[in-house]
mmCIF file of all heavy atoms in Angstrom:
data_model
loop_
_atom_site.group_PDB
_atom_site.id
_atom_site.type_symbol
_atom_site.label_atom_id
_atom_site.label_comp_id
_atom_site.label_asym_id
_atom_site.label_seq_id
_atom_site.Cartn_x
_atom_site.Cartn_y
_atom_site.Cartn_z
ATOM 1 N N ARG A 17 3.853 -8.700 94.842
ATOM 2 C CA ARG A 17 3.490 -7.925 96.027
ATOM 3 C C ARG A 17 2.007 -7.593 96.051
ATOM 4 O O ARG A 17 1.348 -7.684 97.108
ATOM 5 C CB ARG A 17 4.323 -6.640 96.106
ATOM 6 C CG ARG A 17 5.783 -6.853 96.450
ATOM 7 C CD ARG A 17 6.465 -5.534 96.810
ATOM 8 N NE ARG A 17 6.501 -4.614 95.687
ATOM 9 C CZ ARG A 17 7.455 -4.583 94.776
ATOM 10 N NH1 ARG A 17 8.447 -5.461 94.832
ATOM 11 N NH2 ARG A 17 7.432 -3.701 93.787
ATOM 12 N N LEU A 18 1.469 -7.206 94.903
ATOM 13 C CA LEU A 18 0.035 -6.918 94.852
ATOM 14 C C LEU A 18 -0.774 -8.167 95.185
ATOM 15 O O LEU A 18 -1.705 -8.100 95.983
ATOM 16 C CB LEU A 18 -0.332 -6.421 93.436
ATOM 17 C CG LEU A 18 0.060 -5.001 93.078
ATOM 18 C CD1 LEU A 18 -0.404 -4.676 91.663
ATOM 19 C CD2 LEU A 18 -0.520 -3.993 94.061
ATOM 20 N N TRP A 19 -0.429 -9.291 94.560
ATOM 21 C CA TRP A 19 -1.197 -10.513 94.806
ATOM 22 C C TRP A 19 -1.142 -10.935 96.257
ATOM 23 O O TRP A 19 -2.164 -11.252 96.874
ATOM 24 C CB TRP A 19 -0.687 -11.635 93.899
ATOM 25 C CG TRP A 19 -1.474 -12.893 94.114
ATOM 26 C CD1 TRP A 19 -1.139 -13.950 94.910
ATOM 27 C CD2 TRP A 19 -2.746 -13.176 93.578
ATOM 28 N NE1 TRP A 19 -2.121 -14.885 94.883
ATOM 29 C CE2 TRP A 19 -3.130 -14.444 94.065
ATOM 30 C CE3 TRP A 19 -3.619 -12.493 92.707
ATOM 31 C CZ2 TRP A 19 -4.359 -15.035 93.737
ATOM 32 C CZ3 TRP A 19 -4.832 -13.096 92.372
ATOM 33 C CH2 TRP A 19 -5.183 -14.334 92.901
ATOM 34 N N GLU A 20 0.042 -10.935 96.811
ATOM 35 C CA GLU A 20 0.205 -11.423 98.192
ATOM 36 C C GLU A 20 -0.456 -10.476 99.207
ATOM 37 O O GLU A 20 -0.775 -10.904 100.323
ATOM 38 C CB GLU A 20 1.683 -11.605 98.514
ATOM 39 C CG GLU A 20 2.275 -12.772 97.740
ATOM 40 C CD GLU A 20 3.750 -12.980 98.005
ATOM 41 O OE1 GLU A 20 4.370 -12.069 98.615
ATOM 42 O OE2 GLU A 20 4.297 -14.045 97.582
ATOM 43 N N SER A 21 -0.669 -9.232 98.829
ATOM 44 C CA SER A 21 -1.373 -8.310 99.727
ATOM 45 C C SER A 21 -2.868 -8.282 99.451
ATOM 46 O O SER A 21 -3.593 -7.511 100.051
ATOM 47 C CB SER A 21 -0.801 -6.888 99.595
ATOM 48 O OG SER A 21 -0.916 -6.425 98.246
ATOM 49 N N GLY A 22 -3.342 -9.177 98.566
ATOM 50 C CA GLY A 22 -4.774 -9.333 98.354
ATOM 51 C C GLY A 22 -5.346 -8.483 97.269
ATOM 52 O O GLY A 22 -6.449 -7.916 97.421
ATOM 53 N N HIS A 23 -4.661 -8.350 96.108
ATOM 54 C CA HIS A 23 -5.151 -7.551 94.992
ATOM 55 C C HIS A 23 -4.945 -8.325 93.691
ATOM 56 O O HIS A 23 -3.923 -8.998 93.519
ATOM 57 C CB HIS A 23 -4.406 -6.212 94.883
ATOM 58 C CG HIS A 23 -4.398 -5.400 96.149
ATOM 59 N ND1 HIS A 23 -3.461 -5.596 97.149
ATOM 60 C CD2 HIS A 23 -5.218 -4.413 96.554
ATOM 61 C CE1 HIS A 23 -3.709 -4.729 98.123
ATOM 62 N NE2 HIS A 23 -4.766 -4.011 97.795
ATOM 63 N N VAL A 24 -5.900 -8.186 92.798
ATOM 64 C CA VAL A 24 -5.727 -8.678 91.433
ATOM 65 C C VAL A 24 -5.138 -7.553 90.594
ATOM 66 O O VAL A 24 -5.714 -6.474 90.519
ATOM 67 C CB VAL A 24 -7.062 -9.146 90.818
ATOM 68 C CG1 VAL A 24 -6.871 -9.580 89.370
ATOM 69 C CG2 VAL A 24 -7.649 -10.290 91.641
ATOM 70 N N PRO A 25 -4.000 -7.771 89.929
ATOM 71 C CA PRO A 25 -3.452 -6.713 89.075
ATOM 72 C C PRO A 25 -4.262 -6.552 87.801
ATOM 73 O O PRO A 25 -4.759 -7.536 87.224
ATOM 74 C CB PRO A 25 -2.032 -7.215 88.747
ATOM 75 C CG PRO A 25 -1.768 -8.358 89.674
ATOM 76 C CD PRO A 25 -3.107 -8.943 90.006
ATOM 77 N N MET A 26 -4.362 -5.304 87.352
ATOM 78 C CA MET A 26 -4.833 -5.014 86.007
ATOM 79 C C MET A 26 -3.645 -4.455 85.239
ATOM 80 O O MET A 26 -3.230 -3.321 85.482
ATOM 81 C CB MET A 26 -5.997 -4.016 86.000
ATOM 82 C CG MET A 26 -6.517 -3.723 84.582
ATOM 83 S SD MET A 26 -7.735 -2.407 84.482
ATOM 84 C CE MET A 26 -9.117 -3.144 85.380
ATOM 85 N N VAL A 27 -3.110 -5.240 84.348
ATOM 86 C CA VAL A 27 -1.911 -4.858 83.599
ATOM 87 C C VAL A 27 -2.324 -4.078 82.354
ATOM 88 O O VAL A 27 -2.905 -4.647 81.425
ATOM 89 C CB VAL A 27 -1.089 -6.105 83.214
ATOM 90 C CG1 VAL A 27 0.146 -5.692 82.379
ATOM 91 C CG2 VAL A 27 -0.662 -6.877 84.450
ATOM 92 N N THR A 28 -2.069 -2.792 82.386
ATOM 93 C CA THR A 28 -2.364 -1.937 81.236
ATOM 94 C C THR A 28 -1.114 -1.936 80.361
ATOM 95 O O THR A 28 -0.113 -1.309 80.676
ATOM 96 C CB THR A 28 -2.707 -0.503 81.697
ATOM 97 O OG1 THR A 28 -3.793 -0.576 82.642
ATOM 98 C CG2 THR A 28 -3.108 0.358 80.537
ATOM 99 N N TRP A 29 -1.205 -2.668 79.246
ATOM 100 C CA TRP A 29 -0.048 -2.958 78.392
ATOM 101 C C TRP A 29 0.005 -1.955 77.243
ATOM 102 O O TRP A 29 -0.843 -1.965 76.359
ATOM 103 C CB TRP A 29 -0.145 -4.373 77.874
ATOM 104 C CG TRP A 29 1.120 -4.939 77.313
ATOM 105 C CD1 TRP A 29 2.160 -5.499 78.005
ATOM 106 C CD2 TRP A 29 1.453 -5.060 75.916
ATOM 107 N NE1 TRP A 29 3.136 -5.931 77.130
ATOM 108 C CE2 TRP A 29 2.735 -5.686 75.842
ATOM 109 C CE3 TRP A 29 0.816 -4.700 74.741
ATOM 110 C CZ2 TRP A 29 3.345 -5.956 74.638
ATOM 111 C CZ3 TRP A 29 1.422 -4.974 73.543
ATOM 112 C CH2 TRP A 29 2.694 -5.592 73.494
ATOM 113 N N GLN A 30 1.011 -1.075 77.302
ATOM 114 C CA GLN A 30 1.130 0.022 76.338
ATOM 115 C C GLN A 30 2.398 -0.153 75.516
ATOM 116 O O GLN A 30 3.487 0.173 75.981
ATOM 117 C CB GLN A 30 1.156 1.359 77.078
ATOM 118 C CG GLN A 30 -0.074 1.560 77.969
ATOM 119 C CD GLN A 30 -0.024 2.865 78.749
ATOM 120 O OE1 GLN A 30 -0.924 3.675 78.691
ATOM 121 N NE2 GLN A 30 1.060 3.046 79.477
ATOM 122 N N PRO A 31 2.290 -0.685 74.307
ATOM 123 C CA PRO A 31 3.492 -0.911 73.505
ATOM 124 C C PRO A 31 4.133 0.406 73.094
ATOM 125 O O PRO A 31 3.448 1.374 72.771
ATOM 126 C CB PRO A 31 2.974 -1.693 72.296
ATOM 127 C CG PRO A 31 1.535 -1.268 72.173
ATOM 128 C CD PRO A 31 1.053 -1.042 73.591
ATOM 129 N N ARG A 32 5.462 0.414 73.094
ATOM 130 C CA ARG A 32 6.184 1.624 72.726
ATOM 131 C C ARG A 32 6.979 1.369 71.444
ATOM 132 O O ARG A 32 7.643 0.330 71.321
ATOM 133 C CB ARG A 32 7.134 2.047 73.861
ATOM 134 C CG ARG A 32 6.404 2.516 75.095
ATOM 135 C CD ARG A 32 5.482 3.666 74.809
ATOM 136 N NE ARG A 32 4.765 4.112 75.991
ATOM 137 C CZ ARG A 32 3.661 4.839 75.970
ATOM 138 N NH1 ARG A 32 3.134 5.162 74.808
ATOM 139 N NH2 ARG A 32 3.086 5.218 77.072
ATOM 140 N N PRO A 33 6.952 2.297 70.518
ATOM 141 C CA PRO A 33 7.733 2.129 69.283
ATOM 142 C C PRO A 33 9.216 2.190 69.569
ATOM 143 O O PRO A 33 9.680 2.984 70.391
ATOM 144 C CB PRO A 33 7.267 3.294 68.413
ATOM 145 C CG PRO A 33 6.713 4.306 69.352
ATOM 146 C CD PRO A 33 6.160 3.539 70.515
ATOM 147 N N ARG A 34 9.965 1.331 68.876
ATOM 148 C CA ARG A 34 11.404 1.269 69.066
ATOM 149 C C ARG A 34 12.168 2.065 68.007
ATOM 150 O O ARG A 34 13.365 2.294 68.138
ATOM 151 C CB ARG A 34 11.860 -0.197 69.045
ATOM 152 C CG ARG A 34 11.239 -1.040 70.158
ATOM 153 C CD ARG A 34 11.374 -2.537 69.887
ATOM 154 N NE ARG A 34 10.577 -2.925 68.709
ATOM 155 C CZ ARG A 34 10.477 -4.168 68.266
ATOM 156 N NH1 ARG A 34 11.081 -5.143 68.926
ATOM 157 N NH2 ARG A 34 9.763 -4.452 67.203
ATOM 158 N N THR A 35 11.470 2.469 66.946
ATOM 159 C CA THR A 35 12.079 3.221 65.866
ATOM 160 C C THR A 35 11.081 4.269 65.377
ATOM 161 O O THR A 35 9.867 4.141 65.632
ATOM 162 C CB THR A 35 12.439 2.304 64.668
ATOM 163 O OG1 THR A 35 11.211 1.792 64.117
ATOM 164 C CG2 THR A 35 13.330 1.158 65.118
ATOM 165 N N PRO A 36 11.537 5.284 64.661
ATOM 166 C CA PRO A 36 10.586 6.249 64.076
ATOM 167 C C PRO A 36 9.559 5.576 63.163
ATOM 168 O O PRO A 36 8.402 5.987 63.130
ATOM 169 C CB PRO A 36 11.507 7.214 63.306
ATOM 170 C CG PRO A 36 12.807 7.139 64.017
ATOM 171 C CD PRO A 36 12.938 5.725 64.459
ATOM 172 N N GLU A 37 9.971 4.576 62.422
ATOM 173 C CA GLU A 37 9.044 3.871 61.541
ATOM 174 C C GLU A 37 7.950 3.171 62.343
ATOM 175 O O GLU A 37 6.762 3.199 61.977
ATOM 176 C CB GLU A 37 9.797 2.850 60.682
ATOM 177 C CG GLU A 37 8.913 1.963 59.814
ATOM 178 C CD GLU A 37 8.101 2.749 58.798
ATOM 179 O OE1 GLU A 37 8.482 3.891 58.443
ATOM 180 O OE2 GLU A 37 7.065 2.219 58.334
ATOM 181 N N GLU A 38 8.310 2.559 63.480
ATOM 182 C CA GLU A 38 7.291 1.935 64.313
ATOM 183 C C GLU A 38 6.356 2.985 64.895
ATOM 184 O O GLU A 38 5.159 2.700 65.090
ATOM 185 C CB GLU A 38 7.947 1.124 65.430
ATOM 186 C CG GLU A 38 8.499 -0.197 64.949
ATOM 187 C CD GLU A 38 8.960 -1.092 66.067
ATOM 188 O OE1 GLU A 38 8.959 -0.660 67.247
ATOM 189 O OE2 GLU A 38 9.334 -2.240 65.790
ATOM 190 N N ARG A 39 6.857 4.152 65.202
ATOM 191 C CA ARG A 39 5.964 5.197 65.709
ATOM 192 C C ARG A 39 4.878 5.541 64.705
ATOM 193 O O ARG A 39 3.735 5.811 65.068
ATOM 194 C CB ARG A 39 6.780 6.441 66.089
ATOM 195 C CG ARG A 39 5.900 7.641 66.491
ATOM 196 C CD ARG A 39 6.691 8.724 67.157
ATOM 197 N NE ARG A 39 7.105 8.326 68.500
ATOM 198 C CZ ARG A 39 6.325 8.418 69.572
ATOM 199 N NH1 ARG A 39 5.096 8.887 69.460
ATOM 200 N NH2 ARG A 39 6.774 8.035 70.739
ATOM 201 N N ARG A 40 5.220 5.528 63.437
ATOM 202 C CA ARG A 40 4.238 5.821 62.386
ATOM 203 C C ARG A 40 3.336 4.633 62.100
ATOM 204 O O ARG A 40 2.207 4.822 61.604
ATOM 205 C CB ARG A 40 4.961 6.248 61.101
ATOM 206 C CG ARG A 40 5.670 7.597 61.204
ATOM 207 C CD ARG A 40 6.212 8.022 59.845
ATOM 208 N NE ARG A 40 7.275 7.142 59.369
ATOM 209 C CZ ARG A 40 8.568 7.336 59.622
ATOM 210 N NH1 ARG A 40 8.945 8.357 60.357
ATOM 211 N NH2 ARG A 40 9.483 6.490 59.141
ATOM 212 N N ASN A 41 3.792 3.426 62.397
ATOM 213 C CA ASN A 41 3.079 2.229 61.979
ATOM 214 C C ASN A 41 3.094 1.147 63.083
ATOM 215 O O ASN A 41 3.315 -0.033 62.780
ATOM 216 C CB ASN A 41 3.694 1.651 60.695
ATOM 217 C CG ASN A 41 3.663 2.613 59.538
ATOM 218 O OD1 ASN A 41 2.611 2.843 58.967
ATOM 219 N ND2 ASN A 41 4.798 3.189 59.213
ATOM 220 N N LEU A 42 2.840 1.508 64.314
ATOM 221 C CA LEU A 42 2.998 0.556 65.396
ATOM 222 C C LEU A 42 2.013 -0.598 65.298
ATOM 223 O O LEU A 42 2.377 -1.774 65.465
ATOM 224 C CB LEU A 42 2.876 1.251 66.754
ATOM 225 C CG LEU A 42 3.068 0.351 67.956
ATOM 226 C CD1 LEU A 42 4.446 -0.308 67.946
ATOM 227 C CD2 LEU A 42 2.881 1.119 69.256
#
């Protein structure tokens, strides 16, 4: 939708931890 309406997306990619251990060591 963004592209077809004349916009380039800026994808802000924010990884989320799936476990408590990943939260400490993502």
Side-chain angles (χ1 to χ4, degrees):
R17 288 193 296 273
L18 286 181
W19 181 263
E20 291 179 348
S21 59
H23 306 85
V24 176
M26 181 187 293
V27 178
T28 305
W29 196 82
Q30 303 178 126
R32 293 303 179 198
R34 298 164 295 183
T35 66
E37 175 62 22
E38 283 189 354
R39 174 166 288 278
R40 292 187 294 269
N41 300 286
L42 182 58

